[in-house]
Amino acid sequence: MTFLDLVKQRYSCRSYQEKSVEQEKLDYVMECVRLAPSAVNKQPWMFRVVKDEAEKAKLRECYNRDWFNSAPMYIICSILHDQEWVRKDGKHHGDIDIAIAVEHLCLAATEQGLATCWVCNFNAEKCKEFFTFADNEEPAALIPIGYAADERNEKIRKAIEEIYK
């Protein structure tokens, strides 16, 4: 499969089968995350896998949507602000670095036959109440992961001429 084929297969899944994700597939995905690039190779991130039913129930309170509840597991993706690189003009790169790593996660999951969806519109304060985070740590995205129960829908994308010169 070409990279373009892989990118075309990835989509934001909003319905998951009850089937569990095999540990070897999860390990593969997380190895791809580990190898993601980051500014000055700081790797200012932490990833927490949420499989336990009680913890999943807490996480579902942070983003209460029916489709989200169908996922068999989740990954909480956090920025470690005391480890992020800061450019001379004060620009923090933690958001950029976590985005690169999370997209590695989503693409690796797709390659393994799994489905994901970026969730950034969650209650981060409630998430911090329910889970243990370091003082320097900010939950930035929630990623439901599992086997898709829906069909990939084609999103209309901008024409190539609209996005680069």
Side-chain angles (χ1 to χ4, degrees):
M1 169 183 341
T2 68
F3 185 71
L4 182 58
D5 292 334
L6 177 64
V7 170
K8 286 179 177 179
Q9 283 184 12
R10 195 216 64 78
Y11 72 104
S12 296
C13 179
R14 292 207 168 63
S15 181
Y16 296 86
Q17 298 175 30
E18 291 182 21
K19 180 180 177 181
S20 296
V21 174
E22 298 87 346
Q23 187 62 47
E24 52 275 2
K25 287 189 176 189
L26 178 61
D27 291 345
Y28 177 89
V29 167
M30 295 314 297
E31 178 65 4
C32 292
V33 170
R34 186 183 73 81
L35 296 171
S38 62
V40 195
N41 197 31
K42 294 280 191 172
Q43 303 168 39
W45 50 55
M46 182 60 64
F47 296 86
R48 287 181 177 76
V49 175
V50 179
K51 295 183 192 179
D52 175 77
E53 289 302 321
E55 288 188 341
K56 289 192 309 188
K58 289 178 185 176
L59 196 60
R60 289 169 179 158
E61 285 187 46
C62 300
Y63 186 72
N64 189 10
R65 305 290 191 284
D66 288 340
W67 73 266
F68 186 74
N69 297 343
S70 71
M73 64 185 285
Y74 306 92
I75 300 175
I76 303 172
C77 311
S78 300
I79 302 166
L80 303 175
H81 287 293
D82 67 339
Q83 295 180 28
E84 69 186 331
W85 181 69
V86 180
R87 197 169 55 198
K88 288 180 183 178
D89 65 1
K91 166 71 176 146
H92 290 251
H93 278 256
D95 286 338
I96 295 168
D97 292 340
I98 196 75
I100 294 167
V102 171
E103 194 56 15
H104 269 58
L105 186 162
C106 293
L107 289 168
T110 300
E111 184 205 20
Q112 293 297 300
L114 300 169
T116 58
C117 183
W118 279 77
V119 175
C120 297
N121 184 25
F122 66 99
N123 187 328
E125 288 306 313
K126 190 177 277 193
C127 189
K128 286 194 236 180
E129 289 173 25
F130 290 150
F131 297 92
T132 304
F133 293 94
D135 291 340
N136 65 314
E137 188 175 358
E138 174 193 0
L142 307 178
I143 305 297
I145 183 169
Y147 288 92
D150 64 358
E151 295 289 323
R152 183 185 187 284
N153 55 1
E154 285 294 324
K155 296 282 185 184
I156 297 173
R157 302 289 184 187
K158 291 181 179 181
I160 193 80
E161 300 81 23
E162 294 181 71
I163 64 162
Y164 86 96
K165 299 177 183 184

